[in-house]
Amino acid sequence: MEEVVAARGYSFEIILSNSFFKPTFSNGILRSPRILFELDAKYGVFGDSLAGLLLSPLEYIDPSISGLVDSYRSSVVAEEAIGIKSMLGLLSTIISVKPELYIISRMVKLSELYGAIYSNILERRGLEALSYARKLIGLGKPRRLYSRFYKIVSSSLAHKMELSDLIREYRLLDAPRGLVRSVSLSESLDNIRIAELHTGDSIECTRLSILYSVYKCVGSRGTVIVKDYRVSSTKWIPAFLASAPTVRYRVDYRERALAELIYTKLIGRIIRTPEIIALHLGRASTIAVKEHIHGSPLVEESNPRYWSIAGRALAKIHLANYSLGDANPSNFIVDDSIALVDLEQARRASIREKAWDIVTVIAYSHLLGLKSGLLESMLKTYSDTLGEDTRILAREFKKIKYWIPYTIMPYMLPVALSILRRVGLLE
C-alpha cells in the first residue's frame, strides 16, 4: 500500500494512498484513499469530513494537491456566501462581510471533527491564517453533491465553536457606524439567550404584545427590548392588503429589520429613538436588541400637551420627507418629553405616505377608544407646524383611495372626516 504525505498543518498530516480502505483520523493523522479524498474535495460527497482539513494553512509535501486545495476552498467560499447572503437578504446592502467569515462558517459546521485544530490555528495566527479567502470571492462554484450531514470519519478533536462568538471577536460582520453596535450570525436564535448576552444572568422577560414578538428583558446589567422580526411577519399581511391602494407595507422580516436600522438613525435626528444595540441574524429570523426607553405609551396619557408634542414631531418628520408607515400613537413614548419606537415601516415619503400616516393615526385612535379631544390636539398642532404643506395634504384627503379601509368600519368614516375638517386638514 503506497502512502504519500500530501500536506501538513500545524498539528496534523494528510496521508493519501492509491489503495482502497475506510479513511481514518487518529493522533492528528488523516489516512484516506486518494480517490475518496478527491471526491470529497471536488463534490463534497462525505460532507467535507475528509477535505475539511484543507481549510487550514498547509505546507504542501505533494505539489499536485495544491490545485485541489484551491478548487475546494473556492467552492466552500461560494457555498457559504450563498447561505450567508440569503440570511442577510436586503441587510446585505448595508452590512459588510469579511471573506474570512465564509471559511469560519464552514469550520463551525465541521467543529465536531476538527474544532480543536481550527481553534488552535485561530489562536496562533488569527484571521491572517485565513487570508487566502480574500482572493477567492467569485472564483468558485457550489458543489452539487455537498452534504454537511454525511461524515465518513470520527475524531477525538471535537471542540465546540460558536459562530456568533467568532463574529464578535474578529468583527466579521459590520454595519455603518451609528446604525448598530454589533452584528452577529447564528444557525438558530433564542430570544432569552440573546437577552442574557446583553443584560446578564437572572433575567426576566415579559412579552409586550400578543400580535408580535417583542420582549422587555430585565437583567443584572440593565433592561433591553428584544424584537424578533420573523415572528411578527404575519401581522403585516392584512395591513399589506388594506394599504395596497396607497402604500406597500413590508412583510419580509429582513426588509423590516433593515428599515428599522436605517430610519431609527435618520428620524432620530428629529425625535428621540431607541439605540439599536445589536442585530442577531439567523437562518429563519432576525432579532434586534434595542435600548429600553422608560415611560408610558402616549395612548395612556391624558395631558393634551404631550399629544401636541407628538403632533409637532410627526409634522417635522413629514417636513423632512419621512413617514412612519405604521403611525400608531402607542409607538410614541412619554417620559419627560416624547420618544418614538418601532420604525420598521418607516420610509422616504411622498404626499401619499404622509396622508396615510394621518389616516392610520385616526384609525388607531378610534380603535383604541381614545378621546377625540386628545387626537384633535395632536392633529391641530401637526397642521399648524406643517404650514403651507397643509393645503396640499387637504387636497390629497379628497381621494377615495385613503378611505377604502374604512369600508369595514363605515361608522368611523364621518367622524374621521369631521376631525380633519376641524383641524384644517380637509377642504
Side-chain angles (χ1 to χ4, degrees), residues 53-213:
L53 287 173
L54 301 181
L55 298 175
S56 306
L58 295 170
E59 174 191 358
Y60 299 128
I61 309 302
D62 178 2
S64 67
I65 201 176
S66 62
L68 183 68
V69 173
D70 290 342
S71 173
Y72 168 69
R73 289 173 171 176
S74 297
S75 293
V76 167
V77 167
E79 290 160 1
E80 292 299 321
I82 288 172
I84 288 171
K85 287 178 180 177
S86 174
M87 292 168 72
L88 291 175
L90 281 176
L91 288 165
S92 62
T93 60
I94 64 164
I95 293 176
S96 59
V97 179
K98 287 186 179 178
E100 293 89 342
L101 172 58
Y102 304 131
I103 303 300
I104 286 180
S105 178
R106 182 59 55 86
M107 285 179 164
V108 169
K109 294 170 183 175
L110 296 171
S111 60
E112 73 271 26
L113 289 176
Y114 305 126
I117 290 175
Y118 297 148
S119 295
N120 183 35
I121 290 164
L122 291 172
E123 287 172 7
R124 284 172 175 251
R125 293 185 54 192
L127 284 191
E128 189 57 34
L130 310 179
S131 59
Y132 62 81
R134 302 166 196 166
K135 303 175 184 178
L136 301 178
I137 301 298
L139 296 183
K141 295 181 179 179
R143 297 165 296 170
R144 293 182 180 179
L145 300 180
Y146 168 65
S147 169
R148 52 179 291 198
F149 303 109
Y150 183 27
K151 304 291 187 288
I152 196 172
V153 298
S154 60
S155 170
S156 60
L157 294 175
H159 177 76
K160 188 174 183 182
M161 300 173 70
E162 289 286 351
L163 184 59
S164 56
D165 293 341
L166 292 166
I167 287 173
R168 280 195 298 273
E169 181 177 353
Y170 295 110
R171 294 192 64 85
L172 297 171
L173 289 172
D174 206 4
R177 183 173 298 177
L179 288 186
V180 59
R181 279 193 225 164
S182 67
V183 183
S184 187
L185 195 70
S186 182
E187 287 293 305
S188 59
L189 298 175
D190 178 82
N191 289 336
I192 302 301
R193 184 177 178 276
I194 285 173
E196 287 176 344
L197 292 174
H198 300 279
T199 64
D201 299 329
S202 303
I203 67 167
E204 180 180 342
C205 291
T206 305
R207 189 165 183 165
L208 300 182
S209 172
I210 61 171
L211 291 178
Y212 45 86
S213 184

